[in-house]
Amino acid sequence: MKIIHLYSPNYSRKKRSINSIKFIIIHYTGIQSERESIKRLCNPRSKVSSHYLINQKGEIFNLIKDLGVAWHAGKSRWGKYKNLNENSIGIELVNKGHAFGYKKFKKKQILSLIKLSKILVKKYKIKKKYILGHSDIAPLRKIDPGEKFPWKYLASKKLGIWHQYNNVVLKKNRKINILSKKNKKYFFKNLNKIGYCVSGGNKSFLIKTIKAFQRHFRKELINGLLDQECFMIAQDLSKKV
Ligand SMILES: [Zn+2]
């Protein structure tokens, strides 16, 4: 696989061990152009970076070595892990994002992401449950890579987890609010089991967390409200982690 090497100075000088790499975190760049994205990720004043960037033609750029700690995740949490820069490889996909005209990801871009991820998974023994989006680990601040990201397709390539239900079954349960207090509690327990941080949050925190879950696993309706469909999906996923 062809990888174009660039250099970004935006990484922690302390190296990490191979064993500390547990996650792949997927982002979109969320700015106007590819050129601007690369400039920003390599500019010491921006204080942000990622290990890889994949443009819309599917070309892969490496900005920081895998054993360097890049600055892409920020304040974040997943399961017992906090501030995931230390434990992750960050991959940026060029896409203008919600602020500048969010578009479908290009096929070539996704195919390159799959190729690259497969290599990383093998090299660092990354579990499929630890292939996540930025919004999953930082739901209060982030919405990338967003609902147009093809999580289901990636899961079909053993990258990430997915549920067992088909669309017809799910649609019948959409917007159906038959959740008792007990079931609501059970839903959050499952969300927590999957890895989302749900403890100690106020109402707006929980709504944003539900939205992050929906962006990833139920993109047809992102409203931050709990329904029977979300309940079923979370229950099924909790058995796969
Ligand atoms: Zn991001």
Side-chain angles (χ1 to χ4, degrees), residues 51-69:
H51 296 90
Y52 298 92
L53 175 137
I54 304 176
N55 70 13
Q56 297 191 316
K57 285 188 262 173
E59 292 168 329
I60 302 170
F61 297 86
N62 173 233
L63 315 179
I64 286 168
K65 290 195 171 112
D66 294 352
L67 288 183
V69 175

Side-chain angles (χ1 to χ4, degrees), residues 30 36 51 62 66 102 154 164 185 195 201 212 232-233 235:
E36 285 303 315
H51 296 90
N62 173 233
D66 294 352
Y102 187 39
L154 251 77
Q164 58 156 342
K185 223 175 140 185
M232 289 164 64
I233 293 171
Q235 190 181 20

Side-chain angles (χ1 to χ4, degrees), residues 84-102:
L84 273 75
N85 282 339
E86 292 274 344
N87 300 102
S88 62
I89 297 222
I91 304 177
E92 291 274 0
L93 302 175
V94 172
N95 188 309
K96 290 185 185 181
H98 291 80
F100 300 103
Y102 187 39

Side-chain angles (χ1 to χ4, degrees), residues 25-29 72-73 92 134-135 142 144-145:
I25 303 298
I26 297 163
H27 305 257
Y28 66 45
T29 49
H72 61 95
E92 291 274 0
H134 201 185
S135 57
K142 296 292 175 182
D144 65 311

